[in-house]
Amino acid sequence: MHMGDVLISPEVGGTMLAAAVGVAAVSIKKVKEMDEKKLPLMGVMAAFVFASQMINFTIPGTGSSGHLGGGLLLAILLGPYAGFLSMAAILLIQALFFADGGYLAYGCNLINMGFYACFIAYPLIYKFITRARMSRTRVIIGSITASIIGLQLGAFSVVLETLLSGKTELPFSQFAGVMQGIHLAIGLVEGIVTAAVVSFVLKVRPDIVGEAVPNGSRKSNKTIIIGFLAAALVLGGIVSLFASANPDGLEWSVGKVMGAELQGNSQVHEALEKAQEKTAILPDYGFKSQPGTGGEAAGTVVSGIVGSGITLGVIVLIGFVIKYFKRRKPGRIG
């Protein structure tokens, strides 16, 4: 559901970016209160989600594919505020270095993939279903239900954003029907994957699920951190080689309605496209020059490892900044 800049107008992109920055500002303030034990976990979970998003799975009978969004999973294991900030870092890295999602569309993508999952699907649906008891059955039902609703909200938001941007080539009702239908299937798969990961964590470390580590917990997160880091490297560096080549749900929906690709229609679009070409070191998760199949495979492997590493590094840096401000004495200047 990564939107490209051509799908939105500068006005809509700017408005959504302002909204996303506002949510991020609140999240930064709230994350300062998060237990420091979760900061390393925040980094490896972000790397894990980055790698997971590289793996597109085929939606049978459609010619389309989908991938894990990861917002709900991040919210369940880290809390909604840390989950949203992690998604903000993932999407920014994807746009800057891999040309996945546009600069102008960054705010839209963060709201569509981060806000709905972290602040609606997680607290209002997942937590409601699992609050009585964290049983395996409730986790499965909660994960699937919340994932489907979160993606439905995100998909409908995409349709509204194109409508407000004046993209008449994408008729509202037709585009909405195609988008909601394909993301229903993608949401079901994401829910199953999310339930599997959360069930595993509940089995080995139930104390880290949620927004805070219970008081008195002295267990080390080292084992689970190593596990998710290893999983990120395997997913990004190996499993991504076998990802579906079919267009994702959004690309497929646009093609289904239009039968062609949209083109940017302003100087802003052109300027941002040129800027992204300069910053994207591995556009579309591959080398800029790929002479053959071997080069394509190598580009995918490098993208998975480098992207996961950059994501981890950015989150660790954020963690150090948070720890610095938490430990400053009140009233101290400089």
Side-chain angles (χ1 to χ4, degrees):
M1 204 158 35
H2 293 74
M3 293 182 74
D5 289 344
V6 296
L7 288 171
I8 59 169
S9 66
E11 294 79 9
V12 171
T15 300
M16 295 301 288
L17 178 61
V21 169
V23 178
V26 174
S27 297
I28 290 171
K29 184 177 180 180
K30 292 290 186 179
V31 166
K32 290 180 184 178
E33 303 167 9
M34 186 176 72
D35 192 300
E36 290 185 8
K37 283 185 176 182
K38 282 206 168 182
L39 292 177
L41 180 63
M42 183 177 170
V44 297
M45 283 305 305
F48 175 79
V49 169
F50 175 93
S52 299
Q53 288 189 4
M54 289 185 64
I55 304 170
N56 281 44
F57 49 83
T58 299
I59 306 299
T62 66
S64 176
S65 69
H67 63 71
L68 183 73
L72 178 63
L73 178 61
L74 291 170
I76 293 171
L77 298 183
L78 303 172
Y81 300 105
F84 183 82
L85 289 179
S86 298
M87 185 60 72
I90 293 167
L91 293 176
L92 183 60
I93 289 166
Q94 289 172 336
L96 279 173
F97 303 118
F98 302 94
D100 190 7
Y103 289 172
L104 183 62
Y106 176 71
C108 295
N109 287 328
L110 185 49
I111 294 296
N112 299 343
M113 298 178 68
F115 178 82
Y116 294 120
C118 294
F119 296 110
I120 295 180
Y122 168 67
L124 302 182
I125 302 164
Y126 179 86
K127 285 187 72 174
F128 177 79
I129 294 173
T130 61
R131 66 181 178 180
R133 188 162 52 92
M134 271 285 192
S135 66
R136 187 169 181 272
T137 299
R138 286 179 178 271
V139 166
I140 293 173
I141 295 173
S143 297
I144 293 176
T145 305
S147 292
I148 289 175
I149 292 177
L151 258 71
Q152 288 294 292
L153 290 172
F156 190 65
S157 185
V158 169
V159 177
L160 287 177
E161 287 153 6
T162 59
L163 175 68
L164 294 173
S165 295
K167 298 297 179 181
T168 56
E169 307 97 322
L170 296 169
F172 177 79
S173 58
Q174 185 181 357
F175 190 37
V178 176
M179 280 288 287
Q180 303 308 126
I182 197 64
H183 283 91
L184 176 63
I186 295 172
L188 175 61
V189 176
E190 173 158 4
I192 293 171
V193 174
T194 299
V197 175
V198 175
S199 296
F200 168 76
V201 175
L202 278 173
K203 185 175 181 180
V204 297
R205 287 296 306 279
D207 56 301
I208 70 170
V209 177
E211 286 124 83
V213 176
N215 292 331
S217 176
R218 296 185 177 181
K219 292 183 179 180
S220 170
N221 290 336
K222 183 177 180 180
T223 301
I224 200 160
I225 286 172
I226 293 174
F228 274 114
L229 183 57
L233 293 174
V234 170
L235 289 173
I238 300 176
V239 181
S240 59
L241 292 170
F242 305 97
S244 172
N246 291 338
D248 66 19
L250 175 55
E251 293 176 308
W252 179 83
S253 297
V254 171
K256 197 80 171 175
V257 174
M258 281 190 58
E261 292 185 0
L262 281 170
Q263 299 295 324
N265 55 3
S266 74
Q267 292 182 343
V268 174
H269 288 94
E270 292 177 7
L272 291 176
E273 183 179 357
K274 290 179 180 178
Q276 193 169 39
E277 288 175 358
K278 293 179 180 179
T279 63
I281 56 176
L282 292 160
D284 294 324
Y285 304 100
F287 297 131
K288 290 185 178 181
S289 177
Q290 294 181 337
T293 305
E296 293 175 0
T300 300
V301 171
V302 171
S303 297
I305 296 174
V306 170
S308 299
I310 294 175
T311 305
L312 177 59
V314 169
I315 297 296
V316 168
L317 179 60
I318 292 173
F320 276 120
V321 173
I322 291 171
K323 288 171 70 174
Y324 170 74
F325 283 107
K326 280 183 68 174
R327 292 175 180 179
R328 289 185 66 182
K329 294 180 180 179
R332 181 181 175 183
I333 301 176

